[in-house]
Amino acid sequence: MLENVELMSGFLDRVKRPPRALRRSVILTGRERFLGENDLIVSKTDLKGRILYANRHFLDISGFSEAELLGTPHSILRHPSMPRAVFHLLWQRIAAGHEVFAYVVNLCRDGDHYWVFAHVTPSFDSSEQIIGYHSNRRAPRRDALPAIEELYGRLLAIEREARDRRTGLERSGAELDRLLAARGIGYDTFVSTL
């Protein structure tokens, strides 16, 4: 199975990517889609975050076809209300070989959105080298979303107020660290106790 991931990764270098217009011309509708209680979204990516596999629930809720998603960066689903600091933390953790849990709002092909509780893990080969990433997403706890939306709104405002993207990311990440330190907890504990 892992050999298939490696073969697929090479294949992705030759896959035609969706046109930039498909990735960036979405108008937000403000409509939310909902995962069912037993729905499980599954995807696999290579080391650069390009989608290698997407299950039926993923395709159904996102509105993308498999052909549109395979080979495309997972960031095609990034909703503009997701702070960059959260994704930066996620990528740091999984690149270091750790799992991460996060609440994420994703963008659908038609501009709708959907919330998930994501569990992202690195995938390893037989010599313990990271060869890609695996993500399972479930319906989020609805009672946790107000706290997440408040936090994400705060982080996003910091990112947008900065003179450039790098400064915004640094300040937003520092604010997240400060908030966690003030509570005396780490990110994992914060997410699991919402």
Side-chain angles (χ1 to χ4, degrees):
M1 174 101 160
L2 294 177
E3 294 79 18
N4 290 341
V5 171
E6 291 170 353
L7 289 173
M8 186 62 132
S9 183
F11 164 76
L12 289 178
D13 293 328
R14 299 183 303 276
V15 169
K16 181 180 177 197
R17 304 241 192 293
R20 183 169 291 283
L22 174 65
R23 297 188 308 224
R24 302 290 178 219
S25 66
V26 176
I27 297 171
L28 302 179
T29 65
R31 288 187 306 259
E32 183 173 359
R33 296 183 186 184
F34 298 90
L35 283 171
E37 185 178 324
N38 295 317
D39 290 347
L40 181 64
I41 295 174
V42 179
S43 62
K44 295 179 184 181
T45 68
D46 66 9
L47 292 172
K48 294 180 181 178
R50 294 178 298 192
I51 298 170
L52 302 171
Y53 170 79
N55 75 343
R56 175 54 48 200
H57 286 298
F58 187 7
L59 301 175
D60 290 346
I61 198 160
S62 72
F64 286 96
S65 70
E66 184 178 54
E68 290 171 322
L69 285 180
L70 290 184
T72 303
H74 212 286
S75 61
I76 192 170
L77 302 166
R78 181 178 280 181
H79 194 280
S81 64
M82 274 301 297
R84 292 176 61 232
V86 173
F87 283 115
H88 183 73
L89 172 69
L90 183 144
W91 277 103
Q92 281 183 317
R93 297 283 305 276
I94 61 176
H98 305 289
E99 68 182 352
V100 68
F101 291 89
Y103 285 88
V104 178
V105 59
N106 282 322
L107 183 63
C108 300
R109 189 180 196 285
D110 66 358
D112 290 357
H113 66 277
Y114 61 99
W115 279 95
V116 296
F117 185 63
H119 177 213
V120 186
T121 61
S123 299
F124 299 92
D125 66 13
S126 59
S127 62
E128 297 300 314
Q129 295 297 307
I130 299 173
I131 58 170
Y133 304 103
H134 182 271
S135 179
N136 291 321
R137 276 110 49 219
R138 295 189 175 280
R141 287 194 31 237
R142 300 304 297 182
D143 60 339
L145 291 184
I148 289 294
E149 288 173 326
E150 180 181 337
L151 172 63
Y152 287 5
R154 187 175 188 168
L155 297 177
L156 195 60
I158 291 169
E159 291 174 8
R160 289 180 176 164
E161 290 170 359
R163 68 180 184 276
D164 58 59
R165 290 174 49 89
R166 182 183 188 131
T167 302
L169 176 60
E170 290 170 357
R171 289 180 180 165
S172 180
E175 177 67 3
L176 179 58
D177 291 343
R178 187 192 69 72
L179 292 169
L180 294 172
R183 292 181 181 204
I185 58 174
Y187 176 81
D188 292 327
T189 302
F190 169 72
V191 168
S192 67
T193 58
L194 287 175

